[in-house]
Amino acid sequence: MSDPFDGTERSLGQLVASATAEMSALVHDEIALAKAEIKRDVNRGLLGSAIGIIAVVMLLFSLPMLSFVLAYAINTWTGGHNGNGGWNLLWCFGLSFIANVLIAVVLGLIAVAKFKKIKKPEKSLASAKETAAIVQNVKPHPRPATVTVPATQDKSASVARSSA
């Protein structure tokens, strides 16, 4: 028969320290996973925001000049350049406006598609739920409310637990 204390068995203190270290590492890994997922989604959101802002800025700054160019191009295309009159400029400017709105809608749809790719950190949530389920089943051992100092030290000193 072998000796039960041959050095291969760990003491209760070593087991508690090991469990605490592993639990701490697990929590740190879950936090790192959540940070990575959130960073990815923030980057997607920033890209979608940037595209949306660019679409709005382009629409605002280029709309007047683009409208004039397009309206006069339509008028010229319909015969206004040779003195026959062509289409009324009112209709030409209306078509120019519609073309600009269509471009803005396409850019807006691209921005919305980027926003829809943003998801909640599913891996982190699942891992946290799994850890919570495991930790929920662990029951702490009861401890005395106060710990007295050994007789070799000050006899009147006693330390109260912070959770008591």
Side-chain angles (χ1 to χ4, degrees), residues 23 26-27 30 126-136:
M23 190 63 112
L26 177 64
V27 169
E30 286 181 1
S127 178
K129 286 179 183 178
E130 183 180 318
T131 302
I134 291 171
V135 172
Q136 187 177 10

Side-chain angles (χ1 to χ4, degrees), residues 85-146:
W87 288 1
N88 187 339
L89 280 178
L90 177 69
W91 294 109
C92 297
F93 277 105
L95 289 174
S96 172
F97 173 75
I98 290 171
N100 287 329
V101 169
L102 289 176
I103 291 170
V105 166
V106 168
L107 290 173
L109 290 175
I110 292 171
V112 168
K114 292 294 180 185
F115 283 123
K116 284 188 176 182
K117 287 185 179 180
I118 298 174
K119 298 177 183 176
K120 61 184 177 181
E122 295 171 0
K123 292 178 184 177
S124 297
L125 292 174
S127 178
K129 286 179 183 178
E130 183 180 318
T131 302
I134 291 171
V135 172
Q136 187 177 10
N137 295 329
V138 176
K139 295 180 182 177
H141 296 289
R143 296 182 185 174
T146 60

